[in-house]
Amino acid sequence: MPRYFFHVLDGRAAIDVNGLFLANENQARFEALRGAGEMLTDENMNLWLGNEWMMAVTDEAGNMLFKLKFSAEFPNKPPSMFS
């Protein structure tokens, strides 16, 4: 069974060194969405501080298979110099 790694960047990097053994890439996609949902509902999530949140999923060789990206914007606030 192949192993997949779920690396997270949300203003700081969390590198997955253990990974998960899953049957195929479709299961890795499902697990990425499930895990992202859990992390995005965490009250300490940096997403609300204006940081982009990203999960990169790689195989055992380190090849990136796909990325999930999330960000939060507040349209009623004046634009900042970073918009």
Side-chain angles (χ1 to χ4, degrees):
M1 212 177 260
R3 185 168 21 172
Y4 298 90
F5 298 86
F6 301 83
H7 310 294
V8 174
L9 179 63
D10 67 346
R12 52 188 186 247
I15 304 302
D16 179 5
V17 295
N18 298 315
L20 293 175
F21 290 98
L22 300 167
N24 53 45
E25 193 173 324
N26 284 337
Q27 280 196 330
R29 288 183 189 136
F30 175 82
E31 184 60 30
L33 289 173
R34 189 202 60 73
E38 279 184 18
M39 288 181 230
L40 289 169
T41 59
D42 182 348
E43 65 186 45
N44 296 317
M45 182 53 141
N46 286 333
L47 180 72
W48 297 110
L49 299 176
N51 296 323
E52 182 178 77
W53 185 94
M54 181 187 75
M55 178 186 287
V57 178
T58 63
D59 62 14
E60 288 184 277
N63 300 310
M64 187 177 312
L65 303 174
F66 57 90
K67 286 193 262 187
L68 301 175
K69 294 165 104 176
F70 298 91
S71 63
E73 296 181 18
F74 297 93
N76 296 327
K77 287 189 174 185
S80 73
M81 61 188 233
F82 301 109
S83 306

